[in-house]
Amino acid sequence: MSEPAAEQHASIPRHIAIIMDGNGRWAKQHGRARIYGHHQGVESVRKVVEACSELGVEYLTLYAFSTENWKRPIEEVNALMELLVRTIRKETPELNSQNVCIRTIGNTGSLPEDCVNELQEAISLTAGNTGLNLVLALSYSGRSELAAAMQAMGKEVAEGRLDPDTIDEQTIASHLYTVDIPDPELVIRTSGEYRISNYLLWQSAYAEFYFTETLWPDFDKEELLLAIHSFQQRERRFGKISEQLPMKP
Ligand code: FPP
């Protein structure tokens, strides 16, 4: 398949968020254990991070582990955590040399200690990097994020530090994990599932969605370019009508 031509000339989304789904089904199709699918999923992560860096995407947010994923069999949860620790340890030097800044969103305090430590080291090492921001959503839930924000604002109101009459969208956004991250313009979900699954609920209010049947371990640069190409064909009106929009070059 040839690459869609539009990608470099038209607008590249500033922030792409991905729901990496289908690792388990991919493993099953290949007669392997589920964790093998997650291992292959890491290969796709590597390809997509590299491609986003090349294309000049500023933020790539990956749904690596949801709050709901804690309900999976303990063996799979443990294997995923081990994979995460090993991947961060192994890939961080290369990501650092690619000028990638590693960040996290989610209730990362609930992750195992070695995972928290490994992440902390990777975050500190890459903090000064100015290239792609690789945001890992870990133990993340959009509703929990909103509940935590409301709790924090409630405390500030009770302590007299926040006037409830001044609470607006910006106040809420500034209490989310994504406080200094722009909203995603493109949200991709793989594996033929058409759900948001508690991902970036507030932040994706105006995102364009792209769904593909491709399972995450088969997702690569070519697939990413197809998603970006689809994004570039869309007219983002933000509630306005076509005639009110600036003319495209
Ligand atoms: C969904 O597939 C995938 C996950 C819950 C985990 C994603 C994790 C990785 C790709 C590896 C680690 C990532 C990083 C960033 C180092 P699924 O298991 O729900 O697949 P299924 O729906 O086919 O069962």
Side-chain angles (χ1 to χ4, degrees), residues 20-25 34 38 41-42 64 69 72 80 83-84 87 136 216:
M20 311 180 287
D21 199 7
N23 294 351
R25 274 162 287 165
R34 290 181 58 82
H38 297 311
V42 172
N69 288 152
R72 290 191 175 198
L80 267 171
L83 178 62
L84 193 65
T87 304
L136 301 177
W216 178 248

Side-chain angles (χ1 to χ4, degrees), residues 200-213:
L200 301 173
L201 295 180
W202 174 274
Q203 298 88 340
S204 61
Y206 281 101
E208 295 294 328
F209 285 82
Y210 178 84
F211 298 98
T212 170
E213 296 292 318

Side-chain angles (χ1 to χ4, degrees), residues 15 105 135 140 145 173 176-183 200 202-203:
H15 182 175
I105 54 171
V135 185
Y140 176 84
E145 178 183 36
L176 301 177
Y177 295 125
T178 48
V179 51
D180 54 352
I181 298 177
D183 288 344
L200 301 173
W202 174 274
Q203 298 88 340

Side-chain angles (χ1 to χ4, degrees), residues 29 75 77 81 113 151 178:
Q29 281 176 8
E75 299 77 22
V77 170
M81 291 300 145
E113 202 183 335
Q151 204 176 82
T178 48

Side-chain angles (χ1 to χ4, degrees), residues 54-182:
E54 278 171 25
L55 291 166
V57 173
E58 290 177 51
Y59 297 85
L60 172 67
T61 302
L62 300 176
Y63 210 178
F65 195 84
S66 71
T67 307
E68 290 76 19
N69 288 152
W70 290 115
K71 295 181 202 148
R72 290 191 175 198
I74 186 70
E75 299 77 22
E76 182 169 341
V77 170
N78 289 342
L80 267 171
M81 291 300 145
E82 271 174 42
L83 178 62
L84 193 65
V85 172
R86 250 186 298 143
T87 304
I88 302 288
R89 190 175 296 151
K90 185 160 165 262
E91 302 292 335
T92 297
E94 176 60 25
L95 291 171
N96 192 35
S97 72
Q98 288 174 22
N99 200 21
V100 172
C101 176
I102 300 172
R103 313 170 57 156
T104 59
I105 54 171
N107 180 17
T108 47
S110 63
L111 298 169
E113 202 183 335
D114 58 343
C115 200
V116 174
N117 293 341
E118 207 62 54
L119 284 166
Q120 211 36 263
E121 271 187 42
I123 290 167
S124 307
L125 181 75
T126 62
N129 289 346
T130 53
L132 174 72
N133 288 279
L134 174 59
V135 185
L136 301 177
L138 289 162
S139 196
Y140 176 84
S141 141
R143 283 189 174 180
S144 300
E145 178 183 36
L146 284 164
M150 289 178 205
Q151 204 176 82
M153 288 188 296
K155 278 185 192 154
E156 288 171 35
V157 168
E159 290 163 7
R161 290 185 287 121
L162 179 63
D163 175 357
D165 289 333
T166 66
I167 295 176
D168 58 11
E169 291 184 13
Q170 194 42 49
T171 321
I172 296 168
S174 71
H175 285 78
L176 301 177
Y177 295 125
T178 48
V179 51
D180 54 352
I181 298 177

